[in-house]
Amino acid sequence: MGEPIRIIEVAPGAVATEEFSLTRFSGDAERAKKVYEGYQPLHGEDVAESIEWALGRPEHVNVDLMVVRPRDQASSSKIAKKGA
């Protein structure tokens, strides 16, 4: 047998990134900005810190699946926005 490996799946929820939103709306910056109105989405740093935490576990610990979402996101399609 080879060396043991850990497989970690990280499933992020809504992450505010300019590139994704601008691409999604064909460069329409105003429309892209509105996607994140009314709630605080994750940022790339939040996801990176989550990955760092999972990788920092002792060698005998495996984090199989980590779902990281903004507090206001109940599922992939349900976000509680203020004022909505």
Side-chain angles (χ1 to χ4, degrees):
M1 278 199 221
E3 294 292 317
I5 63 170
R6 296 188 290 182
I7 306 293
I8 302 168
E9 178 182 353
V10 179
V15 181
T17 60
E18 269 187 31
E19 297 81 15
F20 174 77
S21 297
L22 284 174
T23 300
R24 179 179 177 194
F25 296 114
S26 303
D28 185 339
E30 284 303 311
R31 193 169 173 204
K33 185 179 176 181
K34 289 182 181 183
V35 170
Y36 305 111
E37 286 182 357
Y39 77 103
Q40 176 64 56
L42 297 176
H43 296 282
E45 296 82 17
D46 300 319
V47 178
E49 287 175 6
S50 299
I51 294 168
E52 183 179 44
W53 177 86
L55 293 174
R57 300 308 87 214
E59 285 187 23
H60 69 283
V61 175
N62 190 57
V63 178
D64 292 326
L65 171 63
M66 180 184 292
V67 178
V68 183
R69 292 187 181 128
R71 183 195 61 223
D72 296 329
Q73 185 175 10
S75 70
S76 60
S77 61
K78 294 184 180 182
I79 298 175
K81 294 185 176 187
K82 294 174 184 81

